[in-house]
Amino acid sequence: PGFRKATLQDQQEMAILADGLSNIDCSGMLSLQDVPLEIADLFAAKTLLEHSRKHFMSLALSSRNMQYLVEMQLAVRGTRQAMIQRPLFHGLVCPISPLYYPRDEIERLKVCAENGLPLVVAIELMLGATAPVSLAGALVQGNAEVLGAMTLVQTLYPETPMLYYCFPSLTDMRTGKTMGGRPENMLLSAAFSGLGTRFYGLATECPGLVSDGAHIGERMFQKGYAAAVAAASGASLLAGAGGFQRETVSSLQQLVIDDEIIAYTRRMSSGFRINQATLGLEAVHRVGPRGNFLSDEHTFHHFRDEIRFYPRLLDTSGTSEKASGQDGLLANAGEQVQQMLKNHKVPPLEAFVLKELETILKAAAREIVEG
């Protein structure tokens, strides 16, 4: 209930929100349904370039569309060198497991690499269908597919920036449906992250915020647990912020909630310092039995460094006066969405850049839509 097709306005709001959220480092494209479908990716990219200053993932619909996306980025960055030094998006190409690389995916790969753009080859396994049902077997196949793709790219285009990424799903043997958010998903994702990070020394992406839950409680459980596991395994980037039901649904409220999950996870991952100052032995002696540390200088000097996470959405007050439970969390997230959309200002692009983006989009429409 309440689900609908994504629009250009949704993409704009998602871009503004992602730009303003401090723990969201990278945004993505929605599958827009109120524009010509053949160039929906170009409309999404143009909107992201206009309404956000953060990096984003570009899922091009074809190699021809990818070339137009590169032209859009070049229009904003000004020069090819500037685009390479600070790319505004990275390309995503998707081989088909097991062990198949469609021709146009390779063409997309070439467009990104020839223009010096970062590239993610997303290996998506479905255990029991497109990969062995055993976790160890899926790990072997997925790792081979990731390394094979990276070897292909580095052989043709040495030093192309890439991430190690494998996205495992399970097959429900009772229905044939895809399953996520299970312990096996998290175990295997952690294994892939560990291989990429600790064995190969590569930056890794992990589906640590991907959830197949429909209700907020299910999503919070799956995303929070998976994010912690991904962080512990050494993942560099968590995919799935703002989405649920296996990335078929996107939500502004969920993006705000995921921002808080990331903040929580980052604080856990940062650990704490143990040294002479933080041990606080002198403070313990000063305060003594039955004392308190509220007015002690040790508290004054260290509380900002040690107690760094304060939730913006989760109600930890312990009172019954505030909204509580699932409805309260969604209400708090919705309120923050409205405040950010109203108050967050993205620095505008110059008029000539906006005109160039519009020119590129019209050229793409003539070639791809009108034929």
Side-chain angles (χ1 to χ4, degrees):
F3 293 168
R4 57 177 175 77
K5 295 179 179 180
T7 68
L8 201 60
Q9 180 65 29
D10 294 324
Q11 183 70 83
Q12 179 176 325
E13 292 180 353
M14 189 71 79
I16 294 171
L17 198 61
D19 188 80
L21 290 169
S22 58
N23 294 288
I24 301 296
D25 297 323
C26 177
S27 27
M29 294 179 171
L30 300 178
S31 297
L32 305 181
Q33 302 295 305
D34 63 337
V35 297
L37 297 183
E38 302 92 333
I39 54 173
D41 53 344
L42 305 185
F43 277 93
K46 179 175 178 289
T47 303
L48 283 160
L49 290 168
E50 286 186 48
H51 297 285
S52 176
R53 294 295 159 263
K54 288 186 178 178
H55 188 90
F56 64 91
M57 176 200 75
S58 66
L59 183 57
L61 296 176
S62 68
S63 55
R64 184 169 50 174
N65 289 38
M66 180 63 81
Q67 188 60 58
Y68 278 112
L69 289 173
V70 172
E71 290 182 28
M72 285 184 171
Q73 180 171 187
L74 186 59
V76 176
R77 296 299 290 135
T79 67
R80 188 172 185 276
Q81 186 60 33
M83 183 175 69
I84 293 173
Q85 288 178 347
R86 202 275 187 181
L88 301 178
F89 65 75
H90 65 271
L92 183 73
V93 296
C94 300
I96 299 175
S97 295
L99 309 170
Y100 176 63
Y101 229 131
R103 180 180 181 85
D104 197 64
E105 293 291 339
I106 294 179
E107 293 301 319
R108 276 177 256 202
L109 177 157
K110 290 169 62 178
V111 172
C112 287
E114 286 171 356
N115 287 279
L117 298 181
L119 188 64
V120 173
V121 179
I123 305 297
E124 299 199 14
L125 308 173
M126 191 169 177
L127 277 68
T130 64
V133 73
S134 61
L135 273 64
L139 182 66
V140 170
Q141 179 185 308
N143 186 53
E145 291 181 349
V146 174
L147 295 182
M150 298 184 86
T151 300
L152 171 65
V153 174
Q154 295 302 318
T155 300
L156 297 175
Y157 305 97
E159 300 185 6
T160 298
M162 298 185 70
L163 280 170
Y164 181 106
Y165 182 39
C166 194
F167 183 176
S169 298
L170 309 176
T171 304
D172 187 335
M173 292 301 169
R174 301 165 299 180
T175 64
K177 292 183 178 180
T178 302
M179 299 189 300
R182 307 307 202 269
E184 294 85 359
N185 294 90
M186 299 177 196
L187 275 171
L188 200 48
S189 292
F192 280 117
S193 295
L195 268 179
T197 302
R198 297 187 171 96
F199 192 76
Y200 299 119
L202 300 169
T204 61
E205 183 172 352
C206 177
L209 290 169
V210 174
S211 165
D212 62 357
H215 301 291
I216 184 61
E218 298 168 347
R219 280 143 43 194
M220 288 290 289
F221 178 84
Q222 292 178 344
K223 285 171 176 275
Y225 207 120
V229 170
S233 66
S236 311
L237 179 67
L238 303 184
F244 57 96
Q245 291 192 205
R246 302 297 286 172
E247 304 304 282
T248 60
V249 180
S250 293
S251 161
L252 297 177
Q253 291 168 306
Q254 187 63 56
L255 186 63
V256 169
I257 293 169
D258 289 345
D259 178 79
E260 184 132 306
I261 291 175
I262 297 170
Y264 199 109
T265 306
R266 279 178 165 162
R267 178 63 189 97
M268 289 179 60
S269 301
S270 67
F272 58 92
R273 298 170 300 149
I274 299 177
N275 55 39
Q276 193 65 35
T278 61
L279 285 172
L281 297 179
E282 293 181 358
V284 172
H285 286 300
R286 277 195 304 270
V287 172
R290 304 188 67 179
N292 74 78
F293 291 82
L294 283 174
S295 60
D296 191 82
E297 62 184 75
H298 184 268
T299 301
F300 176 78
H301 289 303
H302 294 284
F303 78 92
R304 287 186 178 87
D305 293 331
E306 298 292 324
I307 306 175
R308 302 203 301 268
F309 177 79
Y310 288 92
R312 289 175 295 179
L313 301 178
L314 301 174
D315 181 6
T316 58
S317 64
T319 67
S320 58
E321 296 178 2
K322 293 185 177 181
S324 60
Q326 296 180 7
D327 292 340
L329 176 63
L330 288 172
N332 291 342
E335 182 179 342
Q336 184 170 336
V337 166
Q338 295 306 314
Q339 289 178 352
M340 292 194 68
L341 291 178
K342 179 180 179 181
N343 299 319
H344 181 69
K345 305 300 180 185
V346 179
L349 296 175
E350 296 186 61
F352 76 91
V353 175
L354 294 173
K355 184 177 180 180
E356 180 63 18
L357 289 176
E358 190 63 34
T359 299
I360 294 170
L361 190 60
K362 289 180 179 178
R366 287 193 298 270
E367 180 189 0
I368 299 171
V369 180
E370 299 170 11

